[in-house]
Amino acid sequence: MYSFQAASSDAEIAILNAPFYGGQSKVGNKDSPSLILSNLKIEEVKSRHFIEVQALPEQLLELLKEAPFMYRVLKNVNLVSGVNRHLAELTHEHSKNKRFVLTIGGDHSLAIGSIAGLLKTYPDLCVVWIDAHADINTVDTTNSGNIHGCPISFLSGMNKERSITPFSWLDDYPTLSLSRIGYIGLRDVEDGEKALLKKHGIKAVFMDEVKAIGIDKAINDVLNHINPSKNRPIHLSFDIDGLDPLYAPSTGTAVENGLSLQDGITICRTLKNTGSLVSMDLVEVNSALGNQHDVKTTFESATALLKSTLGI
């Protein structure tokens, strides 16, 4: 019978290096995750027994690139699906061995694979989603067709087409209950997404509310909603564009009036201190965008978030 037990504070860390940008339309730098890890100074993590995994073998990418496919308005469906199927298998493998799983992207479509794999290990997983965007578009509501704006709809089973697209492999994984996801930092949400958030009663703290109540209360409100008994494992999915562009300019869809870096650090530290944090995504850092100062600023912010999460 499944029973969640938090990993010890010195648990191994599986770092999944996933430089995949096929869920969005801008050029991505495949070296971005490696550069973040280099900036993190891996020697500081060695006491935690880290394992770095190249999550996107070249042969997989080459194979998938030979089969481009659009499903209705969705772009790169075969490519995004294949990468995420592989990532889900890796995430499940490491999480079932009680490792803390850190996925560094890459774009936010990678959350489909990372969270699916975690749900197979932790069926009652709850998710704290930090982002300027809700990423809950369905096939029917997306304006762009970019799948990095759709991961929640795939994970929750909201897309009725899920079983007949290349994402049918998701049928072998548990779905994410929408009562167990909470957002912080939203400020650029499409009308169709707003309707979905309201329809499903999803906890979402928009930026204007964060500024009104403060980051500590925003975090507590989200945790009390998605994990009221404080007995569920927690996954943190952190899109760097949740931060204000002042702190993270090198990202594909930056939006003004975002979280401060200190807000982001507070989120990471608070979740770490719950003792229930089992995994994290850090996505949408893209060193192909912006000038040298922009890239340096964004990487420094990403490093600070990771250090706060890992306690180093």
Side-chain angles (χ1 to χ4, degrees), residues 88-246:
E89 292 167 356
L90 285 176
T91 305
H92 175 55
E93 175 188 343
H94 289 287
S95 59
K96 75 179 181 181
N97 286 308
K98 302 301 179 186
R99 298 184 181 111
F100 184 93
V101 182
L102 172 60
T103 300
I104 302 181
D107 71 60
H108 219 161
S109 69
L110 292 166
I112 298 172
S114 71
I115 294 175
L118 290 160
L119 284 165
K120 201 164 196 175
T121 304
Y122 308 112
D124 61 345
L125 184 79
C126 57
V127 176
V128 178
W129 194 279
I130 311 302
D131 209 317
H133 314 89
D135 294 351
I136 197 171
N137 271 309
T138 66
V139 176
D140 296 316
T141 66
T142 177
N143 293 323
S144 69
N146 292 325
I147 299 178
H148 76 156
C150 307
I152 297 302
S153 66
F154 279 102
L155 287 163
S156 65
M158 199 182 298
N159 278 316
K160 295 182 178 63
E161 295 91 342
R162 162 171 139 152
S163 295
I164 57 173
T165 70
F167 283 96
S168 60
W169 59 267
L170 278 169
D171 292 338
D172 296 328
Y173 289 80
T175 56
L176 174 66
S177 168
L178 293 172
S179 66
R180 298 201 309 269
I181 180 169
Y183 292 93
I184 300 174
L186 297 181
R187 56 198 185 276
D188 184 16
V189 180
E190 297 174 17
D191 289 343
E193 292 181 299
K194 289 178 181 176
L196 291 171
L197 293 175
K198 183 176 181 180
K199 175 182 177 181
H200 296 283
I202 298 169
K203 182 64 179 177
V205 185
F206 283 70
M207 267 313 303
D208 54 355
E209 187 178 358
V210 173
K211 291 179 178 179
I213 67 177
I215 193 62
D216 291 321
K217 187 171 187 333
I219 299 166
N220 287 334
D221 286 354
V222 165
L223 289 178
N224 288 335
H225 183 89
I226 67 175
N227 195 15
S229 299
K230 299 178 173 57
N231 60 353
R232 292 172 177 158
I234 301 170
H235 172 72
L236 171 59
S237 199
F238 205 122
D239 186 323
I240 201 77
D241 76 22
L243 299 183
D244 189 89
L246 178 65

Side-chain angles (χ1 to χ4, degrees), residues 267-286:
I267 291 167
C268 294
R269 284 181 178 163
T270 301
L271 295 186
K272 176 188 178 295
N273 289 338
T274 65
S276 298
L277 188 66
V278 296
S279 49
M280 177 184 184
D281 307 321
L282 181 64
V283 296
E284 300 287 358
V285 175
N286 189 348

Side-chain angles (χ1 to χ4, degrees), residues 18-36 104-108 110 148 238-241 247-254 282-302:
F20 176 71
Y21 294 90
Q24 49 91 61
S25 57
K26 296 186 179 178
V27 173
N29 186 341
K30 68 178 183 179
D31 296 323
S32 289
S34 295
L35 291 170
I36 293 172
I104 302 181
D107 71 60
H108 219 161
L110 292 166
H148 76 156
F238 205 122
D239 186 323
I240 201 77
D241 76 22
Y247 308 101
S250 289
T251 188
T253 48
L282 181 64
V283 296
E284 300 287 358
V285 175
N286 189 348
S287 56
L289 303 175
N291 58 35
Q292 188 174 359
H293 177 266
D294 292 339
V295 172
K296 181 175 182 290
T297 299
T298 307
F299 275 43
E300 287 175 349
S301 295

